[in-house]
Amino acid sequence: MPVVLSLQNAHKRYGHQVLLDEASCALADDQKVGLIGRNGAGKSTLCRILLGEEDLDAGEVVRSKKLRLGYLRQHDPFEPGETVMDFLMRDSGQPDWRCGQVAWRFALSDDMLSRPVRELSGGWQTRVKLAALLLHDPNLLVLDEPTNFLDVRTQMLLEHFLRDFKAGVLVVSHDRSFLNKTCTHTLELSRGELTMFPGDVDGYLQNLDERREHDQRKNAATATKRKQLEKFIAENRANANTASQARSKAKQLERLEMIEVAGEEAKVHFSFPRVEPRKGPAVRVEDLAIGYDDRTVADDIRLEIEHGTRTGIVGDNGQGKTTFLRTLCESLKPKSGELRWGHGCQLGVYAQHVYTTLNPKLSVLEYLEYQAAPGTTTLQIKSVAGSFLFSGELAEKKIKVLSGGERARLVLAGLLLEQHNILVLDEPGNHLDVETIEALSDALKRYEGTVIFTSHDRYFMRSTATDVIEVGGGRVVSYPASYDDYVYRVQQEIDQGLRDESARHPTDDAPAGPAKSQGRADRDAQKKLKSLERKIAKLDDEKKAINEQMLSATDAATATELQQRLASLTAELEGHEEQWLELYNEVEA
């Protein structure tokens, strides 16, 4: 597991904000690392530093001579009229058969390869960029928010790619579901420090809570012990018969140290205005056709959305989800048919890109005062601003200096100051950090009004939606099952599509030809791999159990014994992993 890129004693600040404070980390060519942190913590800055696009104030970035860095470009690298195949061949210098083999991993069919790449949707263009990345044979990929604006289908293809990728990956993402499925390690940037954890993001957050609770319990026990010693010393140091005991207790007292426990970072607190619960249909559409002057996106739409439901709109990019939401909000007129909202319905709308259209000259408080319903007091406005982490000097900041995540929070704060019983939200989770997305989901579940929303964040959708509407293929219909069922169906379609494409592209290293049958040696090697995988899994479970025991160990002897056992297990595990890797490379060859 050679380290190909590392950060050593890094310092970086912007004005009064410290982003990196003696931070260090190391990235190996076989680790898949998820980088997490609050909005504004400095994750994107860290990526630019690692890529060499920004300098440190102090410290060092060390790059191995073997480093081949790949970066998912956000800009448009395509030339006018260039087809997908033309771009892949130009960008990589590889022959067409090799480009085609890599392209099928992202479900880029032969027909798609001959199409002009700029005619494709943003999601399909991202697939093309990923295929181009792979053709350069990098041993470390840096992906900054790769799932933003990607539909579930493309996210799943990206997950397939990252799981099969035989080198290192650093992924910056707020999508917990995506990180759990793709990353084996978690790197957190918090308060200028970097912390690496050998596990997924759920495991890291759980471990963080457990360690914080353990340290707090230990500090409580230490505080009790200190009081007992201080009382004994005060009562006995003046007594000639017990003075020596008091001096001994004083030495014990000096050795007692409290563990520094970092408090939890401030969290956003959502609380949507209380509304009167209602029954019956909130909106009814009949024979509805939606679209634009030059084309119809979907027609023959018949459905109802009930008051009090949280309806998630699902479907691939470019199929019409935003068009449907715009029609519901009456910012886009129906092409035909009827759309009727119930009596007294008051809509609050969060548009997908609204945070990019805010007046940059306004301060946070000025924007919220403008959005607030008549009669809202300054105290109420400041209270809402504070609950969204805009308090004190932050409330006076101009919009032009806010990050994407801060602007998204600001728009949501403005919604809370208006009076609505219907919320229509188009991708509200984009640019929000993990904790804020969770807080938003919890608030929407407490909200007694009606919510109609779309999101590609599976964690947010799964935890929030009570009903599902699917948009695709010119139709908009109520999905007959749960969101989990929808995700399962999409996954099955992707797996089948990859199997079909794999049959057409039998190898990765040469033009397609007849598949070779595996011999006895291959089957034996596969059995050995399975055996080693079972041993590795068992040792992993033992390591987790010992780590849990170490959290509750109270005496030094037990802790030392557990530490020795853990070191022995780690060495044994590394040996098995090296055997597995050698055998796996032989099988692949």
Side-chain angles (χ1 to χ4, degrees):
M1 151 175 117
V3 172
V4 291
L5 183 62
S6 64
L7 194 68
Q8 298 178 1
N9 301 320
H11 292 262
K12 183 71 176 180
R13 70 161 59 225
Y14 284 130
H16 297 295
Q17 186 181 10
V18 178
L19 299 180
L20 297 173
D21 185 12
E22 237 179 281
S24 298
C25 69
L27 302 174
D29 68 354
D30 65 346
Q31 289 179 336
K32 294 181 172 64
V33 180
L35 176 59
I36 63 172
R38 293 297 183 85
N39 288 131
K43 299 184 299 298
S44 293
T45 300
L46 175 60
C47 285
R48 290 195 296 273
I49 289 169
L50 293 175
L51 292 165
E53 297 175 356
E54 194 161 335
D55 295 327
L56 290 168
D57 297 335
E60 187 178 10
V61 179
V62 181
R63 298 177 176 85
S64 165
K65 292 181 180 179
K66 296 181 179 180
L67 175 65
R68 300 187 304 278
L69 195 60
Y71 178 55
L72 181 61
R73 293 167 289 194
Q74 302 300 324
H75 68 278
D76 179 352
F78 313 119
E79 295 181 352
E82 190 173 43
T83 67
V84 173
M85 179 60 82
D86 290 339
F87 165 72
L88 293 178
M89 293 175 65
R90 175 179 64 82
D91 186 77
S92 67
Q94 298 281 350
D96 57 357
W97 64 264
R98 178 60 179 158
C99 293
Q101 286 181 337
V102 172
W104 73 257
R105 294 192 184 187
F106 299 95
L108 291 163
S109 64
D110 293 339
D111 177 64
M112 186 78 71
L113 292 174
S114 62
R115 291 179 58 185
V117 67
R118 283 186 174 171
E119 291 183 4
L120 305 180
S121 68
W124 282 104
Q125 288 187 13
T126 298
R127 298 188 194 190
V128 174
K129 292 178 187 177
L130 288 165
L133 263 186
L134 189 58
L135 284 163
H136 285 281
D137 190 29
N139 59 4
L140 180 64
L141 287 181
V142 177
L143 309 178
D144 190 1
E145 295 291 354
T147 62
N148 270 2
F149 310 111
L150 292 188
D151 56 44
V152 171
R153 193 178 302 272
T154 307
Q155 287 182 35
M156 288 179 176
L157 283 165
L158 182 53
E159 288 168 6
H160 272 280
F161 163 63
L162 291 178
R163 284 197 296 266
D164 293 341
F165 186 59
K166 301 299 190 299
V169 179
L170 178 67
V171 183
V172 183
S173 179
H174 295 136
D175 189 327
R176 186 180 298 187
S177 177
F178 180 79
L179 289 175
N180 283 331
K181 289 178 181 296
T182 57
C183 294
T184 58
H185 292 66
T186 300
L187 181 65
E188 184 186 35
L189 176 56
S190 174
R191 298 185 175 98
E193 296 183 357
L194 286 166
T195 304
M196 183 73 83
F197 176 77
D200 61 25
V201 64
D202 281 349
Y204 172 72
L205 295 175
Q206 182 181 349
N207 180 271
L208 194 66
D209 290 339
E210 289 173 352
R211 287 188 175 277
R212 186 181 287 119
E213 290 175 8
H214 172 262
D215 291 345
Q216 288 171 343
R217 287 197 304 270
K218 194 166 183 178
N219 278 348
T222 301
T224 302
K225 184 67 174 176
R226 288 180 71 94
K227 287 181 180 179
Q228 292 171 350
L229 291 172
E230 288 168 351
K231 182 180 179 183
F232 182 89
I233 294 167
E235 292 175 350
N236 294 278
R237 63 185 170 189
N239 188 324
N241 295 326
T242 57
S244 63
Q245 294 181 30
R247 287 193 296 272
S248 176
K249 297 293 185 185
K251 291 179 180 178
Q252 290 182 36
L253 182 61
E254 289 175 3
R255 290 194 295 267
L256 284 180
E257 293 182 356
M258 302 290 280
I259 301 171
E260 185 177 349
V261 181
E264 292 189 51
E265 294 189 71
K267 292 184 178 180
V268 172
H269 297 283
F270 290 94
S271 183
F272 287 101
R274 179 171 175 76
V275 299
E276 194 66 34
R278 306 177 72 178
K279 300 293 184 183
V283 63
R284 177 184 287 121
V285 298
E286 295 179 359
D287 300 321
L288 189 71
I290 61 174
Y292 306 90
D293 291 341
D294 59 340
R295 62 191 177 94
T296 298
V297 173
D299 57 13
D300 195 27
I301 306 170
R302 298 182 178 87
L303 52 83
E304 291 181 351
I305 298 176
E306 295 287 320
H307 277 296
T309 58
R310 299 185 298 274
T311 302
I313 313 298
V314 301
D316 293 347
N317 282 346
Q319 293 297 308
K321 298 188 300 297
T322 297
T323 302
F324 178 59
L325 287 182
R326 288 186 61 198
T327 306
L328 287 181
C329 298
E330 299 178 342
S331 66
L332 183 66
K333 291 184 178 180
K335 298 202 73 172
S336 63
E338 188 175 20
L339 183 153
R340 292 197 306 274
W341 283 99
H343 175 70
C345 287
Q346 297 172 301
L347 273 65
V349 180
Y350 178 96
Q352 186 175 134
H353 301 286
V354 68
Y355 62 88
T356 63
T357 63
L358 303 180
N359 185 343
K361 297 179 181 179
L362 293 179
S363 70
V364 168
L365 279 181
E366 288 170 342
Y367 172 80
L368 294 178
E369 287 168 354
Y370 177 79
Q371 293 295 120
T376 307
T377 66
T378 302
L379 183 62
Q380 289 172 318
I381 292 172
K382 288 186 175 180
S383 176
V384 169
S387 70
F388 278 78
L389 310 184
F390 295 114
S391 56
E393 293 181 359
L394 295 177
E396 303 297 334
K397 287 175 72 173
K398 296 295 184 183
I399 289 174
K400 65 182 179 182
V401 301
L402 299 181
S403 68
E406 288 172 325
R407 293 188 187 202
R409 286 208 313 267
L410 181 59
V411 174
L412 288 168
L415 269 183
L416 266 63
L417 290 166
E418 303 169 14
Q419 293 298 318
H420 310 295
N421 52 19
I422 309 285
L423 294 176
V424 181
L425 312 174
D426 189 7
E427 292 289 350
N430 275 352
H431 299 290
L432 297 182
D433 56 42
V434 171
E435 291 82 5
T436 306
I437 290 171
E438 193 164 357
L440 175 59
S441 176
D442 290 341
L444 290 174
K445 285 185 280 190
R446 295 193 304 271
Y447 180 60
E448 294 186 281
T450 305
V451 184
I452 305 169
F453 70 103
T454 181
S455 175
H456 296 318
D457 187 315
R458 281 163 286 174
Y459 176 87
F460 178 73
M461 183 69 82
R462 182 177 292 112
S463 61
T464 308
T466 59
D467 298 78
V468 177
I469 289 175
E470 183 178 14
V471 180
R475 301 171 67 240
V476 179
V477 295
S478 294
Y479 194 72
S482 69
Y483 179 72
D484 279 337
D485 290 316
Y486 169 76
V487 171
Y488 177 78
R489 192 200 78 195
V490 173
Q491 184 68 68
Q492 294 298 105
E493 291 173 0
I494 288 174
D495 291 344
Q496 183 59 51
L498 289 175
R499 284 193 293 269
D500 292 345
E501 288 294 326
S502 182
R504 297 171 60 195
H505 302 269
T507 73
D508 263 351
D509 301 314
K516 296 181 180 179
S517 61
Q518 289 188 324
R520 182 186 298 272
D522 288 330
R523 290 193 294 272
D524 290 342
Q526 292 289 352
K527 288 179 182 178
K528 289 179 182 177
L529 278 176
K530 294 292 183 185
S531 176
L532 283 170
E533 286 167 0
R534 287 193 292 270
K535 290 178 181 178
I536 290 170
K538 184 178 179 181
L539 289 173
D540 267 331
D541 290 339
E542 288 183 41
K543 277 187 67 176
K544 289 176 184 176
I546 290 176
N547 278 321
E548 290 175 1
Q549 292 174 41
M550 289 179 68
L551 288 174
S552 57
T554 55
D555 66 283
T558 303
T560 301
E561 184 181 342
L562 289 171
Q563 188 66 43
Q564 291 173 347
R565 176 60 181 149
L566 184 62
S568 174
L569 276 176
T570 301
E572 188 177 356
L573 186 60
E574 287 176 354
H576 285 320
E577 287 176 339
E578 287 178 5
Q579 289 180 40
W580 183 93
L581 186 60
E582 290 175 3
L583 194 57
Y584 181 82
N585 287 334
E586 289 176 11
V587 172
E588 285 291 291

